[in-house]
């Protein structure tokens, strides 16, 4: 971004805005004078109401508006849309951040990607930066974000990630792993929920009557098992991200698949532990475990066969030959 030299100042060093902006329907707009101006941009302001020498109140007023097609904030992720052009990417309250973490690497892997990661990551993963800090250096990233609708603030979130610097430079492997493990996590949590739905449906159907589906889903949601599973898998993702670079991508994916199996089984056991005293609930648990086992089969089949088993199979084939 071009700078206006001495005029590019932080907001507190610039001449004050004119007063009574709260009387305007739309704030005055202009382009930033440089990075200092943009990064301290005053989008909102408070105007004091005075009665003589005393302040009797205040008005929340508009501040400075950005003119059309302004430079994009280098600390914020953006997405290109057909109607609105480049917009900032907010947080989805229903999804944990780590499930979208592949976007931090994909910009380095896909040149025509419509999602643009923060420019600060491009600078941090530039050849000059990697030469200075080393590609194997571990970066600590604090990711801050919010979900808002106009003046309503729905969610504020702070996340922390650790990863090797070179993963942000050549993001192909990291992106592929992140996408693959997201798919595995979706299978695991989906299997867990399906098993719990079966468990709840059988437990709530004495005499083989058909239970109310709303009651079934309300009971399943009350256990919080899927939320617990996503949280636990997030911890495994953090560990995988730290190790990626020391292990091959295939091994990283397999480790995460094994973690998915363990987490799904543990969360199912925890959610159903309290009801394993009566016969109907024991039957429900057995049927739920059957569903869980069937739904987790894709994860089991994705695991590589142990080396000893593979060697035994090879020897058997050679013996037959």
């Amino acid at each position: 971004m071009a700078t206006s030299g001495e005029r590019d100042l932080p907001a507190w060093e610039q001449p004050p805005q004119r007063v009574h902006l709260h009387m305007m329907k739309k704030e005055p707009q202009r382009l930033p004078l440089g990075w200092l101006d943009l990064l301290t941009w005053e989008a909102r302001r408070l105007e004091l109401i005075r009665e003589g020498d005393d302040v009797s109140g205040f008005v929340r007023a508009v501040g400075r508006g950005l003119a059309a097609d302004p430079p994009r904030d280098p600390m914020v992720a953006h997405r290109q849309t057909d109607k609105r052009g480049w917009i900032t990417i907010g947080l989805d309250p229903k999804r944990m951040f780590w499930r979208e973490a592949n976007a931090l690497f994909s910009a380095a892997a896909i040149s025509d990607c419509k999602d643009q990661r923060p420019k600060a990551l491009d600078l941090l993963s530039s050849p000059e930066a990697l030469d200075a800090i080393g590609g194997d250096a571990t970066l600590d990233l604090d990711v801050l974000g919010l979900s808002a609708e106009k003046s309503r603030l729905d969610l504020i979130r702070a996340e922390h990630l650790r990863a090797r610097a070179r993963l942000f430079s050549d993001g192909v492997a990291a992106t592929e792993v992140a996408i693959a493990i997201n798919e595995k996590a979706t299978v695991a949590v989906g299997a867990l929920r399906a098993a719990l739905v079966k468990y709840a449906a059988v437990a709530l159907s004495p005499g083989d009557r058909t239970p109310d589906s709303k009651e079934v889903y309300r009971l399943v949601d009350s256990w919080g098992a899927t939320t617990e599973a996503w949280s636990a898998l997030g911890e495994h993702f953090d560990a995988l991200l730290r190790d990626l670079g020391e292990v091959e991508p295939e091994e990283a994916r397999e480790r995460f698949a094994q973690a998915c199996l363990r987490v799904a089984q543990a969360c199912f056991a925890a959610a159903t532990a309290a009801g394993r005293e009566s016969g109907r609930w024991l039957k429900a648990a057995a049927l739920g475990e059957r569903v869980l086992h069937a739904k987790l089969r894709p994860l089991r089949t994705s695991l590589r066969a142990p080396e000893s088993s593979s060697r035994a199979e090879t020897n058997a084939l050679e013996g037959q030959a």
Side-chain angles (χ1 to χ4, degrees):
M1 178 174 64
T3 181
S4 300
E6 295 181 355
R7 296 176 59 203
D8 180 21
L9 299 170
W12 53 87
E13 295 183 13
Q14 295 185 25
Q17 298 186 64
R18 59 180 179 174
V19 297
H20 304 310
L21 286 180
H22 64 275
M23 303 295 293
M24 303 175 63
K25 292 183 178 180
K26 191 174 183 180
E27 70 272 16
Q29 297 181 344
R30 66 172 176 81
L31 287 172
L33 302 174
W35 286 117
L36 293 177
D37 186 24
L38 176 62
L39 296 178
T40 59
W41 196 265
E42 294 181 310
R44 295 290 184 270
R45 59 180 292 178
L46 297 178
E47 292 188 8
L48 302 181
I49 299 176
R50 297 180 179 274
E51 295 182 2
D53 294 333
D54 298 326
V55 175
S56 59
F58 69 91
V59 176
R60 187 175 64 176
V62 297
R64 288 192 175 97
L66 285 170
D69 196 24
R72 293 187 287 277
D73 190 329
M75 301 297 289
V76 178
H78 295 82
R79 174 171 294 138
Q80 190 176 35
T81 63
D82 294 333
K83 292 184 178 180
R84 299 173 57 191
W86 288 96
I87 61 173
T88 57
I89 300 178
L91 293 178
D92 185 348
K94 298 179 181 179
R95 291 174 67 89
M96 292 189 173
F97 167 75
W98 69 267
R99 299 177 63 190
E100 311 287 357
N102 59 291
L104 298 178
F105 310 102
S106 60
I110 306 173
S111 59
D112 60 348
C113 182
K114 290 190 175 182
D115 288 350
Q116 184 184 77
R117 66 182 182 179
K119 281 291 185 182
L121 285 179
D122 291 338
L123 297 175
L124 198 57
S125 59
S126 65
E128 296 80 5
L130 293 181
D131 287 343
I133 64 177
D136 287 329
T138 299
L139 301 182
D140 288 272
L141 303 180
D142 289 313
V143 184
L144 309 176
L146 56 84
S147 175
E149 177 64 26
K150 295 184 178 180
S151 61
R152 188 187 75 236
L153 187 60
D154 297 326
L155 174 71
I156 297 177
R157 183 176 290 170
E159 302 282 351
H160 184 79
L161 291 177
R162 303 190 72 195
R164 296 181 184 276
R166 57 188 170 86
L167 294 180
F168 297 98
S169 176
D170 181 12
V172 176
T175 300
E176 291 178 349
V177 170
I179 292 175
I181 65 175
N182 203 348
E183 293 173 351
K184 296 180 186 300
T186 301
V187 170
V189 178
L192 171 63
R193 184 167 180 81
L196 290 174
V197 168
K198 181 66 175 180
Y199 171 73
V202 175
L204 295 177
S205 57
D208 294 329
R209 71 174 179 85
T210 302
D212 184 354
S213 60
K214 292 183 179 179
E215 292 183 8
V216 171
Y217 290 116
R218 190 180 300 115
L219 180 59
V220 171
D221 292 337
S222 70
W223 292 322
T226 55
T227 301
E228 180 65 26
W230 283 122
S231 179
L233 290 175
E235 295 179 5
H236 287 286
F237 172 79
D238 291 342
L240 178 147
L241 202 58
R242 291 193 297 269
D243 294 340
L244 196 59
E246 293 184 355
V247 300
E248 294 297 324
E250 181 62 29
E251 182 178 349
R253 286 193 288 266
E254 182 161 334
R255 286 184 182 182
F256 194 81
Q258 293 171 341
C260 286
L261 292 172
R262 294 194 301 270
V263 167
Q265 292 164 348
C267 288
F268 180 83
T272 60
R276 292 179 180 257
E277 296 180 357
S278 67
R280 188 172 75 250
W281 288 81
L282 286 172
K283 175 184 176 182
L287 294 176
E289 287 175 351
R290 183 182 301 176
V291 171
L292 182 66
H293 182 82
K295 295 289 186 180
L296 290 177
R297 187 173 294 116
L299 290 179
R300 293 191 180 91
T301 56
S302 69
L303 297 177
R304 294 179 296 181
E307 185 178 354
S308 58
S309 299
S310 299
R311 186 180 296 113
E313 292 174 1
T314 301
N315 293 338
L317 291 174
E318 291 176 350
Q320 293 175 3

